[in-house]
Amino acid sequence: MRKPEPSVKNNSKLRKGLWSPEEDDKLMNYMLNNGQGCWSDVARNAGLQRCGKSCRLRWINYLRPDLKRGAFSPQEEELIIHLHSLLGNRWSQIAARLPGRTDNEIKNFWNSTIKKRLKNLSSTNTSSPNASESSISEPKDLNMGRFISTHDHQKGFMPVLNSSSLSMQATVLTNIIDRLPLLEHGLNMPAAGGFFNVTGPCFTESGVDNNGFYLENGVLGSVNIGPEGDLLVPSATDNPKVEIASNRDTNNSYFDIINKNHRAENNRGGVENLFQDQELTVGEWDLEDLMKDVSSFPFLDFSS
DNA sequence: AACAGTTGCAACCGCACGCTG
DNA sequence: TCAGCGTGCGGTTGCAACTGT
């Protein structure tokens, strides 16, 4: 690896480049004794000639005691691939579901290893009639697990809900994401603890009136399935669970958006005009592939 | 052994967002 | 309302280590 660089930024005494063992010791000792505070204070008080940002990065990506070092296990790898198919390049969201792994680590792993593998795989698959059987897929290239998303991806995402499989797709997403541990926020487990049963091509509830539903901005909501398999999405204000679980802004509740648009869809028929005023990018969700894919996870048990 | 090409990953950069005064 | 600051995120860069010729 690179040797620590003694470089000093022009007009500044702040060091850049690799961290020396001494700097690591200083930061580690300070963090263990004082805990996390204002990062610029950390840099100053720990006697480091680094900017706070650099200290934060070093701590989060390297020094944190709970970090898992070493290669990714096949299970982690598979989980990353599937989370990426659901979340895209939201590395922090993916990292939040992988204990001891950082977003930077996962991002590097993806860009260096998985991306390459996917590329090789897709090039070999083009000549194979069973290309879709691969457990590895990338939404961008292979058309799987795509979502409606806002252009500003910080604002969130929703699964694409077409008119015929609106509730099914939302249900599948709920099942998938709810069963992945969300380490950062701890909001992933549905309060009611219930999941849908899978009975053939449709989904029914298992005696539970709602299920946790994740949004990318950390909001936990719920979905109900109506008597005809239609999706009934309460607004955040109607649903105390949303309010309890939310630790971020819910002003632009997607449940409200879905409700509104679902109603609009019923009135107009078709989904072409949905989300129009949200500047959304519309994709499709290959449900069959997704179901086939997620079934390979032992912890994604759809039968309960 | 020497060199060139490739890989893996630590760290930087720029941007966006939230908070505060 | 706005500017300043701190923080977090995703994209990118740079280089040591590795591999192939």
Side-chain angles (χ1 to χ4, degrees):
Chain A
M1 272 299 136
R2 281 189 295 181
K3 290 173 187 168
E5 293 169 16
S7 65
V8 173
K9 196 177 181 178
N10 287 344
N11 304 324
S12 167
K13 290 181 179 177
L14 294 182
R15 276 173 53 84
K16 291 176 76 176
L18 285 189
W19 282 63
S20 68
E22 292 75 23
E23 286 178 307
D24 280 347
D25 280 347
K26 280 183 182 176
L27 180 58
M28 177 72 99
N29 287 333
Y30 182 88
M31 291 302 291
L32 293 178
N33 291 328
N34 301 284
Q36 186 180 320
C38 172
W39 282 108
S40 50
D41 289 345
V42 169
R44 226 185 348 263
N45 297 337
L48 291 163
Q49 292 182 322
R50 296 272 182 175
C51 66
K53 206 171 179 176
S54 180
C55 292
R56 175 186 162 269
L57 208 66
R58 186 62 177 172
W59 174 255
I60 288 174
N61 288 335
Y62 195 79
L63 295 175
R64 240 171 52 197
D66 60 321
L67 282 183
K68 191 192 284 184
R69 313 297 301 180
F72 284 86
S73 69
Q75 288 79 18
E76 286 177 310
E77 187 178 325
E78 204 171 343
L79 184 52
I80 290 169
I81 291 164
H82 282 274
L83 284 171
H84 187 271
S85 74
L86 293 168
L87 299 168
N89 291 2
R90 278 92 166 179
W91 305 116
S92 60
Q93 294 284 313
I94 295 172
R97 291 174 172 83
L98 280 154
R101 300 297 188 182
T102 69
D103 53 353
N104 203 37
E105 199 177 7
I106 293 169
K107 179 173 59 181
N108 283 333
F109 181 62
W110 180 270
N111 286 332
S112 61
T113 307
I114 300 181
K115 222 171 183 179
K116 200 188 324 160
R117 205 174 299 166
L118 289 170
K119 198 176 175 184
N120 292 338
L121 205 68
S122 65
S123 64
T124 49
N125 278 347
T126 51
S127 57
S128 161
N130 295 326
S132 65
E133 286 177 3
S134 163
S135 66
I136 300 174
S137 53
E138 190 173 24
K140 203 174 181 181
D141 299 329
L142 302 181
N143 226 15
M144 193 282 267
R146 290 182 291 151
F147 300 95
I148 286 176
S149 61
T150 58
H151 285 169
D152 177 1
H153 63 238
Q154 298 287 345
K155 288 179 181 166
F157 75 92
M158 285 302 301
V160 171
L161 306 172
N162 67 39
S163 57
S164 62
S165 58
L166 186 69
S167 59
M168 281 174 56
Q169 294 180 350
T171 305
V172 171
L173 183 76
T174 302
N175 271 291
I176 295 163
I177 300 184
D178 272 348
R179 289 164 191 235
L180 304 175
L182 182 63
L183 301 171
E184 188 182 23
H185 306 301
L187 302 176
N188 59 312
M189 287 298 115
F195 297 104
F196 295 107
N197 287 328
V198 179
T199 54
C202 62
F203 304 92
T204 58
E205 289 187 272
S206 55
V208 181
D209 65 352
N210 55 38
N211 282 265
F213 192 100
Y214 271 103
L215 297 179
E216 190 248 1
N217 64 357
V219 175
L220 176 66
S222 66
V223 291
N224 295 323
I225 304 301
E228 295 179 30
D230 50 323
L231 182 66
L232 308 173
V233 186
S235 70
T237 49
D238 290 337
N239 185 359
K241 201 163 88 178
V242 172
E243 293 174 346
I244 291 165
S246 297
N247 64 345
R248 299 194 193 179
D249 179 32
T250 57
N251 289 339
N252 296 316
S253 165
Y254 286 101
F255 303 108
D256 289 324
I257 295 170
I258 287 189
N259 264 343
K260 191 179 83 183
N261 290 323
H262 188 47
R263 271 186 246 112
E265 181 192 344
N266 287 339
N267 290 338
R268 287 198 300 266
V271 294
E272 292 79 8
N273 296 325
L274 299 186
F275 301 98
Q276 205 168 34
D277 56 343
Q278 305 292 321
E279 275 200 69
L280 300 174
T281 305
V282 179
E284 294 171 29
W285 192 351
D286 190 334
L287 183 60
E288 216 170 345
D289 275 1
L290 185 56
M291 289 300 292
K292 198 163 39 185
D293 256 27
V294 296
S295 64
S296 64
F297 284 125
F299 50 83
L300 296 179
D301 178 14
F302 283 82
S303 63
S304 56

